[in-house]
Amino acid sequence: MEYIPVLVLVLSFVALLAIGTPVAWSIAISSVLTMLVSIPALPAFTTVSQRMGTGLDSFALLAIPFFVLSGQLMNKGGIAHRLIAFAKTLVGSLPGGLALINVIGAMLMGAIAGSAMASASAMGSILGPEMEKEGYSKEFGAAVNITSSTTGLIIPPSNVLIVYSLASGGVSIAALFLAGYIPGILTGLLLMIVASFWAKKKNYKRGERSSLRQVFKTFIDAVPSLFLLVVVIGGIVTGIFTATEASAIAVLYTMVLGFIYKEITFKNLPEILLESSITTAIVMLLIGASMTMSWVMSYENIPQDISSALLGVSDNPIIILLIINLLLLFVGIFMDMTPAVLIFTPIFLPVVTKLGMDPVQFGIIMVLNLCIGLCTPPVGSVLFVGVGVAKTTIQKVIKPLIPLFLAMIFALFLVTFFPELTLWLPRLFDL
Protein backbone atom coordinates (compact mmCIF):
# COMPACT_ATOMS: atom_id res chain seq x y z
CA MET A 1 0.00 0.00 0.00
CA GLU A 2 2.88 2.41 0.77
CA TYR A 3 3.98 2.21 -2.89
CA ILE A 4 0.70 3.62 -4.21
CA PRO A 5 1.51 7.32 -3.45
CA VAL A 6 4.92 6.91 -5.13
CA LEU A 7 3.35 5.35 -8.22
CA VAL A 8 0.67 8.04 -8.40
CA LEU A 9 3.25 10.82 -8.03
CA VAL A 10 5.69 9.45 -10.63
CA LEU A 11 3.17 8.22 -13.20
CA SER A 12 0.97 11.33 -13.08
CA PHE A 13 3.99 13.64 -13.32
CA VAL A 14 5.48 11.74 -16.29
CA ALA A 15 2.08 11.52 -18.02
CA LEU A 16 1.42 15.26 -17.62
CA LEU A 17 4.86 16.11 -19.01
CA ALA A 18 4.33 13.68 -21.90
CA ILE A 19 1.15 15.46 -23.02
CA GLY A 20 2.89 18.84 -22.95
CA THR A 21 1.67 20.26 -19.62
CA PRO A 22 4.02 23.01 -18.34
CA VAL A 23 6.47 21.74 -15.70
CA ALA A 24 5.10 23.88 -12.85
CA TRP A 25 1.53 22.70 -13.46
CA SER A 26 2.69 19.08 -13.83
CA ILE A 27 4.37 19.29 -10.43
CA ALA A 28 1.36 20.92 -8.74
CA ILE A 29 -1.27 18.59 -10.23
CA SER A 30 0.70 15.42 -9.50
CA SER A 31 1.16 16.66 -5.91
CA VAL A 32 -2.62 17.10 -5.53
CA LEU A 33 -3.31 13.63 -6.99
CA THR A 34 -0.81 12.07 -4.58
CA MET A 35 -2.44 13.79 -1.59
CA LEU A 36 -5.87 12.55 -2.72
CA VAL A 37 -4.61 8.99 -2.21
CA SER A 38 -4.13 9.64 1.52
CA ILE A 39 -6.66 12.32 2.55
CA PRO A 40 -10.07 13.69 1.39
CA ALA A 41 -10.32 16.22 -1.44
CA LEU A 42 -10.91 19.44 0.55
CA PRO A 43 -7.93 19.01 2.93
CA ALA A 44 -5.77 17.90 -0.02
CA PHE A 45 -6.50 21.00 -2.11
CA THR A 46 -6.20 23.27 0.94
CA THR A 47 -2.87 21.76 1.98
CA VAL A 48 -1.35 22.00 -1.49
CA SER A 49 -2.41 25.63 -1.98
CA GLN A 50 -1.17 26.51 1.51
CA ARG A 51 2.19 24.84 0.87
CA MET A 52 2.62 26.74 -2.40
CA GLY A 53 2.18 30.00 -0.47
CA THR A 54 4.39 29.13 2.49
CA GLY A 55 7.04 27.73 0.14
CA LEU A 56 7.59 31.24 -1.21
CA ASP A 57 7.60 32.85 2.23
CA SER A 58 11.37 33.18 2.51
CA PHE A 59 13.60 36.24 2.82
CA ALA A 60 16.37 34.48 0.85
CA LEU A 61 14.05 34.11 -2.18
CA LEU A 62 13.80 37.89 -2.50
CA ALA A 63 17.31 37.74 -3.97
CA ILE A 64 16.02 35.94 -7.09
CA PRO A 65 13.92 38.76 -8.64
CA PHE A 66 16.72 41.24 -7.93
CA PHE A 67 19.42 39.05 -9.50
CA VAL A 68 17.11 38.38 -12.49
CA LEU A 69 16.66 42.14 -12.94
CA SER A 70 20.40 42.84 -12.59
CA GLY A 71 21.05 40.12 -15.22
CA GLN A 72 18.63 41.79 -17.64
CA LEU A 73 20.25 45.18 -17.01
CA MET A 74 23.68 43.69 -17.73
CA ASN A 75 22.48 41.97 -20.88
CA LYS A 76 21.14 45.25 -22.25
CA GLY A 77 23.80 47.51 -20.75
CA GLY A 78 26.81 46.80 -22.97
CA ILE A 79 28.65 44.76 -20.36
CA ALA A 80 28.96 41.66 -22.60
CA HIS A 81 30.82 43.64 -25.30
CA ARG A 82 33.42 44.87 -22.80
CA LEU A 83 33.93 41.41 -21.27
CA ILE A 84 34.38 39.86 -24.73
CA ALA A 85 36.90 42.57 -25.72
CA PHE A 86 38.91 41.81 -22.57
CA ALA A 87 38.78 38.03 -23.16
CA LYS A 88 39.86 38.56 -26.78
CA THR A 89 43.12 40.25 -25.74
CA LEU A 90 43.89 37.38 -23.35
CA VAL A 91 43.35 34.28 -25.52
CA GLY A 92 42.50 35.48 -29.03
CA SER A 93 45.85 34.34 -30.49
CA LEU A 94 45.67 30.76 -29.13
CA PRO A 95 44.35 27.78 -31.16
CA GLY A 96 40.57 28.16 -31.28
CA GLY A 97 40.96 31.70 -29.95
CA LEU A 98 37.38 32.79 -30.63
CA ALA A 99 36.03 29.63 -28.94
CA LEU A 100 38.22 30.34 -25.91
CA ILE A 101 36.95 33.93 -25.89
CA ASN A 102 33.42 32.53 -25.83
CA VAL A 103 34.21 30.36 -22.78
CA ILE A 104 35.95 33.13 -20.82
CA GLY A 105 33.29 35.67 -21.81
CA ALA A 106 30.52 33.27 -20.75
CA MET A 107 32.24 32.59 -17.41
CA LEU A 108 32.53 36.32 -16.70
CA MET A 109 29.08 37.20 -18.04
CA GLY A 110 27.40 34.26 -16.32
CA ALA A 111 29.14 35.02 -13.04
CA ILE A 112 28.04 38.65 -13.16
CA ALA A 113 24.53 38.10 -14.56
CA GLY A 114 23.87 34.73 -12.86
CA SER A 115 21.90 33.50 -15.86
CA ALA A 116 22.96 30.80 -18.33
CA MET A 117 20.28 31.81 -20.83
CA ALA A 118 21.32 35.49 -20.73
CA SER A 119 24.93 34.44 -21.24
CA ALA A 120 24.08 32.09 -24.14
CA SER A 121 21.99 34.77 -25.81
CA ALA A 122 24.61 37.52 -25.39
CA MET A 123 27.68 35.46 -26.32
CA GLY A 124 25.95 33.71 -29.22
CA SER A 125 24.59 36.86 -30.83
CA ILE A 126 27.89 38.77 -30.50
CA LEU A 127 30.50 36.04 -31.13
CA GLY A 128 28.52 33.67 -33.39
CA PRO A 129 28.69 35.78 -36.57
CA GLU A 130 32.34 36.64 -35.89
CA MET A 131 33.26 32.95 -35.52
CA GLU A 132 31.53 32.13 -38.82
CA LYS A 133 33.39 34.97 -40.53
CA GLU A 134 36.72 33.50 -39.33
CA GLY A 135 35.87 30.05 -40.74
CA TYR A 136 34.54 28.30 -37.63
CA SER A 137 31.59 25.99 -38.20
CA LYS A 138 28.27 27.33 -36.94
CA GLU A 139 27.64 24.10 -35.01
CA PHE A 140 30.98 24.16 -33.18
CA GLY A 141 30.41 27.78 -32.15
CA ALA A 142 26.92 26.91 -30.87
CA ALA A 143 28.25 23.87 -28.93
CA VAL A 144 30.93 25.94 -27.18
CA ASN A 145 28.42 28.69 -26.39
CA ILE A 146 25.83 26.26 -24.98
CA THR A 147 28.19 24.40 -22.63
CA SER A 148 30.22 27.41 -21.47
CA SER A 149 27.07 29.40 -20.61
CA THR A 150 26.26 27.00 -17.76
CA THR A 151 29.49 27.83 -15.88
CA GLY A 152 27.85 31.03 -14.61
CA LEU A 153 25.39 28.91 -12.61
CA ILE A 154 28.27 27.46 -10.59
CA ILE A 155 30.40 30.62 -10.37
CA PRO A 156 28.54 33.01 -8.01
CA PRO A 157 26.31 34.88 -7.60
CA SER A 158 23.92 32.10 -8.59
CA ASN A 159 20.14 31.94 -8.12
CA VAL A 160 20.28 28.14 -8.19
CA LEU A 161 22.64 28.04 -5.21
CA ILE A 162 20.19 30.25 -3.30
CA VAL A 163 17.41 27.78 -4.14
CA TYR A 164 19.60 24.89 -2.94
CA SER A 165 20.24 26.73 0.33
CA LEU A 166 16.46 26.95 0.82
CA ALA A 167 15.87 23.29 -0.11
CA SER A 168 18.67 22.01 2.12
CA GLY A 169 17.30 23.69 5.23
CA GLY A 170 19.69 26.63 5.43
CA VAL A 171 23.17 25.74 4.14
CA SER A 172 25.17 29.01 4.17
CA ILE A 173 24.72 30.96 0.91
CA ALA A 174 28.12 32.61 1.44
CA ALA A 175 29.78 29.17 1.75
CA LEU A 176 27.99 27.93 -1.38
CA PHE A 177 29.04 31.02 -3.33
CA LEU A 178 32.70 30.57 -2.38
CA ALA A 179 32.51 26.82 -3.03
CA GLY A 180 31.40 27.44 -6.62
CA TYR A 181 34.49 29.33 -7.78
CA ILE A 182 37.04 26.50 -8.22
CA PRO A 183 34.58 23.96 -9.76
CA GLY A 184 33.21 26.66 -12.11
CA ILE A 185 36.66 27.78 -13.24
CA LEU A 186 37.81 24.14 -13.52
CA THR A 187 34.84 23.34 -15.78
CA GLY A 188 35.61 26.39 -17.92
CA LEU A 189 39.29 25.38 -18.26
CA LEU A 190 38.38 21.84 -19.32
CA LEU A 191 35.96 23.21 -21.92
CA MET A 192 38.74 25.50 -23.20
CA ILE A 193 41.17 22.57 -23.52
CA VAL A 194 38.64 20.51 -25.50
CA ALA A 195 37.67 23.49 -27.69
CA SER A 196 41.34 24.25 -28.39
CA PHE A 197 42.08 20.64 -29.44
CA TRP A 198 38.98 20.57 -31.66
CA ALA A 199 39.94 23.87 -33.30
CA LYS A 200 43.51 22.67 -33.86
CA LYS A 201 42.21 19.45 -35.42
CA LYS A 202 39.91 21.42 -37.75
CA ASN A 203 42.71 23.96 -38.45
CA TYR A 204 40.60 26.99 -37.53
CA LYS A 205 42.23 30.39 -37.94
CA ARG A 206 44.07 32.04 -35.02
CA GLY A 207 43.68 35.70 -34.09
CA GLU A 208 46.46 38.26 -33.78
CA ARG A 209 48.48 38.51 -30.57
CA SER A 210 47.46 41.50 -28.44
CA SER A 211 49.97 43.92 -26.99
CA LEU A 212 50.20 44.56 -23.25
CA ARG A 213 48.77 48.00 -23.93
CA GLN A 214 45.65 46.48 -25.54
CA VAL A 215 45.25 44.02 -22.66
CA PHE A 216 45.51 46.85 -20.14
CA LYS A 217 43.05 49.08 -22.06
CA THR A 218 40.36 46.37 -22.37
CA PHE A 219 40.89 45.40 -18.72
CA ILE A 220 40.30 48.99 -17.61
CA ASP A 221 37.13 49.09 -19.72
CA ALA A 222 35.93 45.86 -18.09
CA VAL A 223 36.88 46.80 -14.50
CA PRO A 224 33.57 48.53 -13.62
CA SER A 225 31.69 45.36 -14.69
CA LEU A 226 34.11 43.01 -12.91
CA PHE A 227 34.02 45.16 -9.77
CA LEU A 228 30.42 44.11 -9.22
CA LEU A 229 31.69 40.62 -8.30
CA VAL A 230 33.96 42.16 -5.65
CA VAL A 231 31.09 44.21 -4.22
CA VAL A 232 28.52 41.38 -4.17
CA ILE A 233 30.67 38.42 -3.09
CA GLY A 234 32.95 40.50 -0.85
CA GLY A 235 29.96 42.00 0.94
CA ILE A 236 28.32 38.61 1.51
CA VAL A 237 31.49 36.82 2.66
CA THR A 238 32.51 39.61 5.06
CA GLY A 239 29.00 39.83 6.48
CA ILE A 240 28.41 43.45 5.43
CA PHE A 241 25.11 42.43 3.83
CA THR A 242 23.05 39.32 3.09
CA ALA A 243 22.63 37.72 -0.33
CA THR A 244 19.23 39.40 -0.65
CA GLU A 245 20.66 42.83 0.15
CA ALA A 246 23.55 42.13 -2.23
CA SER A 247 21.08 41.42 -5.04
CA ALA A 248 19.42 44.82 -4.53
CA ILE A 249 22.85 46.51 -4.59
CA ALA A 250 23.61 44.61 -7.83
CA VAL A 251 20.48 46.10 -9.44
CA LEU A 252 21.41 49.63 -8.42
CA TYR A 253 25.04 49.18 -9.55
CA THR A 254 24.16 47.69 -12.97
CA MET A 255 21.51 50.31 -13.64
CA VAL A 256 23.95 53.15 -12.93
CA LEU A 257 26.60 51.39 -15.07
CA GLY A 258 24.14 50.97 -17.96
CA PHE A 259 23.34 54.70 -17.87
CA ILE A 260 27.06 55.59 -17.70
CA TYR A 261 27.76 53.38 -20.74
CA LYS A 262 24.72 55.03 -22.44
CA GLU A 263 23.40 51.60 -23.40
CA ILE A 264 20.31 51.92 -21.18
CA THR A 265 17.87 54.83 -21.23
CA PHE A 266 14.66 55.56 -19.34
CA LYS A 267 12.82 54.46 -22.48
CA ASN A 268 14.36 50.94 -22.16
CA LEU A 269 13.45 50.45 -18.50
CA PRO A 270 9.77 49.39 -18.91
CA GLU A 271 10.77 46.62 -21.33
CA ILE A 272 13.60 45.45 -19.04
CA LEU A 273 11.30 45.46 -15.99
CA LEU A 274 8.60 43.55 -17.90
CA GLU A 275 11.04 40.85 -19.10
CA SER A 276 12.42 40.50 -15.56
CA SER A 277 8.90 40.23 -14.12
CA ILE A 278 7.95 37.47 -16.56
CA THR A 279 11.12 35.48 -15.78
CA THR A 280 10.63 35.98 -12.03
CA ALA A 281 6.98 34.87 -12.22
CA ILE A 282 7.97 31.66 -14.03
CA VAL A 283 10.73 30.90 -11.52
CA MET A 284 8.55 31.64 -8.49
CA LEU A 285 5.70 29.46 -9.77
CA LEU A 286 8.20 26.63 -10.25
CA ILE A 287 9.56 27.16 -6.73
CA GLY A 288 6.10 27.23 -5.13
CA ALA A 289 4.99 24.06 -6.95
CA SER A 290 8.28 22.28 -6.26
CA MET A 291 8.19 23.13 -2.55
CA THR A 292 4.70 21.59 -2.50
CA MET A 293 5.93 18.38 -4.11
CA SER A 294 8.86 18.24 -1.65
CA TRP A 295 6.39 18.50 1.26
CA VAL A 296 4.08 15.85 -0.24
CA MET A 297 7.01 13.47 -0.66
CA SER A 298 8.08 14.11 2.93
CA TYR A 299 4.49 13.50 4.13
CA GLU A 300 4.44 10.17 2.30
CA ASN A 301 7.96 9.26 3.62
CA ILE A 302 9.26 8.94 0.05
CA PRO A 303 12.74 10.49 0.73
CA GLN A 304 13.31 8.13 3.67
CA ASP A 305 12.30 5.10 1.57
CA ILE A 306 14.60 6.11 -1.31
CA SER A 307 17.42 6.84 1.14
CA SER A 308 17.06 3.39 2.73
CA ALA A 309 16.92 1.74 -0.71
CA LEU A 310 20.09 3.50 -1.90
CA LEU A 311 22.02 2.69 1.28
CA GLY A 312 20.78 -0.91 0.95
CA VAL A 313 22.31 -1.24 -2.52
CA SER A 314 25.88 -0.94 -1.23
CA ASP A 315 27.86 0.32 1.73
CA ASN A 316 30.58 1.63 -0.60
CA PRO A 317 30.41 5.47 -0.73
CA ILE A 318 31.91 5.52 -4.26
CA ILE A 319 29.15 3.27 -5.61
CA ILE A 320 26.42 5.33 -3.91
CA LEU A 321 27.85 8.61 -5.23
CA LEU A 322 28.09 7.19 -8.75
CA ILE A 323 24.43 6.07 -8.57
CA ILE A 324 23.31 9.52 -7.31
CA ASN A 325 25.28 11.26 -10.06
CA LEU A 326 23.74 9.02 -12.73
CA LEU A 327 20.25 9.64 -11.33
CA LEU A 328 20.81 13.42 -11.28
CA LEU A 329 22.18 13.38 -14.83
CA PHE A 330 19.05 11.47 -15.88
CA VAL A 331 16.79 13.91 -13.98
CA GLY A 332 18.54 16.88 -15.64
CA ILE A 333 17.63 15.55 -19.08
CA PHE A 334 13.89 15.71 -18.33
CA MET A 335 13.48 18.42 -15.68
CA ASP A 336 14.37 22.09 -15.37
CA MET A 337 17.03 23.00 -12.81
CA THR A 338 15.01 24.87 -10.16
CA PRO A 339 12.32 22.20 -9.54
CA ALA A 340 14.97 19.46 -9.72
CA VAL A 341 16.99 21.11 -6.93
CA LEU A 342 13.92 21.64 -4.75
CA ILE A 343 12.54 18.14 -5.25
CA PHE A 344 15.69 16.01 -5.13
CA THR A 345 17.74 17.82 -2.48
CA PRO A 346 15.56 16.45 0.38
CA ILE A 347 15.86 12.97 -1.15
CA PHE A 348 19.61 12.75 -1.72
CA LEU A 349 21.04 15.11 0.92
CA PRO A 350 20.33 12.74 3.86
CA VAL A 351 22.03 9.93 1.93
CA VAL A 352 25.25 11.84 1.20
CA THR A 353 25.44 13.30 4.72
CA LYS A 354 25.29 9.73 6.11
CA LEU A 355 28.26 8.98 3.85
CA GLY A 356 30.11 11.93 5.42
CA MET A 357 29.81 14.42 2.54
CA ASP A 358 29.56 18.12 3.35
CA PRO A 359 26.18 19.63 2.27
CA VAL A 360 28.08 22.49 0.60
CA GLN A 361 29.98 20.05 -1.62
CA PHE A 362 26.78 18.21 -2.51
CA GLY A 363 25.14 21.50 -3.53
CA ILE A 364 27.87 22.13 -6.10
CA ILE A 365 27.71 18.50 -7.31
CA MET A 366 23.95 18.77 -7.78
CA VAL A 367 24.13 22.08 -9.67
CA LEU A 368 26.98 20.83 -11.89
CA ASN A 369 24.95 17.70 -12.70
CA LEU A 370 21.90 19.73 -13.64
CA CYS A 371 24.01 22.17 -15.69
CA ILE A 372 24.79 19.25 -17.99
CA GLY A 373 21.04 18.64 -18.25
CA LEU A 374 20.51 22.22 -19.47
CA CYS A 375 22.57 21.32 -22.55
CA THR A 376 20.63 18.15 -23.40
CA PRO A 377 17.30 17.54 -25.17
CA PRO A 378 14.33 17.33 -24.68
CA VAL A 379 14.04 20.18 -22.12
CA GLY A 380 17.52 21.75 -22.21
CA SER A 381 16.63 25.44 -22.14
CA VAL A 382 20.20 26.62 -22.79
CA LEU A 383 20.49 24.14 -25.69
CA PHE A 384 17.42 25.66 -27.35
CA VAL A 385 18.63 29.24 -26.80
CA GLY A 386 22.11 28.44 -28.17
CA VAL A 387 20.75 26.62 -31.22
CA GLY A 388 18.19 29.37 -31.84
CA VAL A 389 20.76 32.16 -31.68
CA ALA A 390 23.12 30.23 -33.99
CA LYS A 391 20.25 29.46 -36.42
CA THR A 392 21.12 25.78 -36.65
CA THR A 393 19.53 22.51 -35.47
CA ILE A 394 20.01 20.27 -32.45
CA GLN A 395 20.91 17.30 -34.68
CA LYS A 396 23.84 19.19 -36.23
CA VAL A 397 25.13 20.48 -32.87
CA ILE A 398 25.22 17.08 -31.15
CA LYS A 399 28.54 15.93 -32.71
CA PRO A 400 30.69 18.88 -31.48
CA LEU A 401 28.72 18.85 -28.18
CA ILE A 402 29.78 15.32 -27.21
CA PRO A 403 33.48 16.04 -26.37
CA LEU A 404 32.38 19.15 -24.44
CA PHE A 405 29.85 17.04 -22.52
CA LEU A 406 32.66 14.64 -21.61
CA ALA A 407 34.73 17.57 -20.31
CA MET A 408 31.82 18.63 -18.06
CA ILE A 409 31.34 15.05 -16.81
CA PHE A 410 35.07 14.82 -16.02
CA ALA A 411 34.79 18.07 -14.01
CA LEU A 412 31.81 16.52 -12.18
CA PHE A 413 33.90 13.42 -11.39
CA LEU A 414 36.73 15.56 -9.95
CA VAL A 415 34.35 17.67 -7.83
CA THR A 416 32.60 14.53 -6.52
CA PHE A 417 35.70 12.65 -5.42
CA PHE A 418 38.06 15.51 -4.47
CA PRO A 419 36.19 17.51 -1.79
CA GLU A 420 38.93 20.12 -1.39
CA LEU A 421 38.12 21.52 -4.84
CA THR A 422 34.82 22.66 -3.36
CA LEU A 423 35.54 23.18 0.32
CA TRP A 424 38.95 24.87 0.33
CA LEU A 425 37.69 28.44 -0.12
CA PRO A 426 34.78 28.23 2.39
CA ARG A 427 37.17 26.76 5.00
CA LEU A 428 39.71 29.49 4.26
CA PHE A 429 37.05 32.05 5.29
CA ASP A 430 35.73 29.85 8.17
CA LEU A 431 32.33 29.39 6.54
Side-chain angles (χ1 to χ4, degrees):
M1 190 73 177
E2 69 247 28
Y3 295 108
I4 292 176
V6 181
L7 287 171
V8 170
L9 185 72
V10 173
L11 293 176
S12 60
F13 179 64
V14 171
L16 287 162
L17 283 180
I19 61 174
T21 309
V23 175
W25 290 106
S26 299
I27 292 169
I29 293 168
S30 58
S31 299
V32 171
L33 293 174
T34 307
M35 288 298 291
L36 288 171
V37 173
S38 305
I39 59 176
L42 184 59
F45 281 105
T46 305
T47 302
V48 168
S49 58
Q50 182 191 49
R51 288 292 156 183
M52 285 189 77
T54 55
L56 296 174
D57 185 16
S58 168
F59 179 70
L61 284 180
L62 282 173
I64 291 177
F66 283 119
F67 277 131
V68 168
L69 178 54
S70 68
Q72 287 286 352
L73 288 165
M74 288 170 193
N75 207 16
K76 308 281 186 183
I79 288 172
H81 289 279
R82 287 162 177 82
L83 295 176
I84 287 171
F86 175 50
K88 195 169 187 176
T89 59
L90 292 177
V91 295
S93 62
L94 297 175
L98 284 175
L100 306 187
I101 292 164
N102 195 322
V103 177
I104 292 177
M107 288 167 70
L108 294 172
M109 179 71 182
I112 294 171
S115 168
M117 290 175 70
S119 176
S121 177
M123 295 297 122
S125 56
I126 296 167
L127 274 175
E130 195 171 336
M131 290 180 80
E132 277 190 74
K133 201 186 296 179
E134 293 295 326
Y136 289 75
S137 77
K138 188 185 290 187
E139 290 70 34
F140 173 67
V144 171
N145 184 36
I146 289 161
T147 49
S148 62
S149 295
T150 61
T151 56
L153 298 174
I154 311 163
I155 302 171
S158 167
N159 289 336
V160 182
L161 292 177
I162 294 170
V163 171
Y164 172 78
S165 172
L166 178 73
S168 62
V171 172
S172 165
I173 293 174
L176 286 167
F177 277 10
L178 282 177
Y181 273 111
I182 294 175
I185 293 168
L186 174 66
T187 305
L189 287 173
L190 289 171
L191 290 173
M192 289 171 71
I193 290 167
V194 171
S196 190
F197 272 111
W198 184 281
K200 203 169 183 180
K201 181 183 173 186
K202 298 289 182 181
N203 203 25
Y204 290 138
K205 185 179 173 183
R206 297 191 189 197
E208 294 179 6
R209 189 181 295 275
S210 300
S211 66
L212 284 173
R213 185 178 176 182
Q214 287 173 305
V215 174
F216 182 73
K217 184 181 181 302
T218 55
F219 173 70
I220 294 299
D221 286 342
V223 160
S225 307
L226 296 171
F227 187 66
L228 177 63
L229 288 175
V230 178
V231 172
V232 172
I233 305 303
I236 294 170
V237 169
T238 55
I240 296 172
F241 39 70
T242 65
T244 304
E245 292 160 348
S247 65
I249 290 166
V251 169
L252 183 63
Y253 186 95
T254 49
M255 188 178 292
V256 170
L257 203 59
F259 280 112
I260 290 171
Y261 287 158
K262 296 181 180 177
E263 301 273 353
I264 294 174
T265 64
F266 285 107
K267 192 184 282 187
N268 301 136
L269 285 179
E271 183 190 347
I272 292 169
L273 290 168
L274 180 61
E275 287 179 11
S276 302
S277 300
I278 292 168
T279 304
T280 300
I282 293 167
V283 171
M284 289 303 183
L285 181 60
L286 278 168
I287 290 172
S290 302
M291 291 296 284
T292 302
M293 183 178 273
S294 294
W295 185 88
V296 169
M297 288 194 300
S298 178
Y299 178 80
E300 299 291 352
N301 288 320
I302 294 171
Q304 294 88 331
D305 293 341
I306 294 174
S307 175
S308 300
L310 276 173
L311 292 170
V313 169
S314 171
D315 57 0
N316 187 330
I318 294 174
I319 300 296
I320 299 295
L321 289 173
L322 284 172
I323 291 171
I324 289 173
N325 272 323
L326 287 171
L327 288 171
L328 285 172
L329 285 169
F330 180 75
V331 165
I333 292 171
F334 297 102
M335 191 179 287
D336 199 27
M337 184 174 274
T338 300
V341 169
L342 287 165
I343 292 165
F344 290 95
T345 297
I347 293 175
F348 293 132
L349 187 58
V351 178
V352 296
T353 49
K354 279 184 184 177
L355 297 175
M357 179 179 282
D358 192 295
V360 171
Q361 183 192 1
F362 181 66
I364 303 301
I365 290 171
M366 175 170 261
V367 172
L368 190 48
N369 261 297
L370 298 173
C371 280
I372 297 170
L374 290 177
C375 307
T376 55
V379 294
S381 52
V382 178
L383 173 67
F384 293 122
V385 170
V387 166
V389 170
K391 295 176 182 164
T392 183
T393 63
I394 292 171
Q395 291 84 349
K396 290 178 180 176
V397 170
I398 290 297
K399 187 178 178 181
L401 261 180
I402 290 171
L404 295 164
F405 275 146
L406 294 175
M408 295 179 78
I409 290 169
F410 183 58
L412 173 63
F413 173 83
L414 293 175
V415 170
T416 301
F417 296 108
F418 295 91
E420 285 304 311
L421 289 172
T422 309
L423 302 176
W424 178 69
L425 275 176
R427 285 173 181 168
L428 188 66
F429 287 88
D430 293 322
L431 292 172

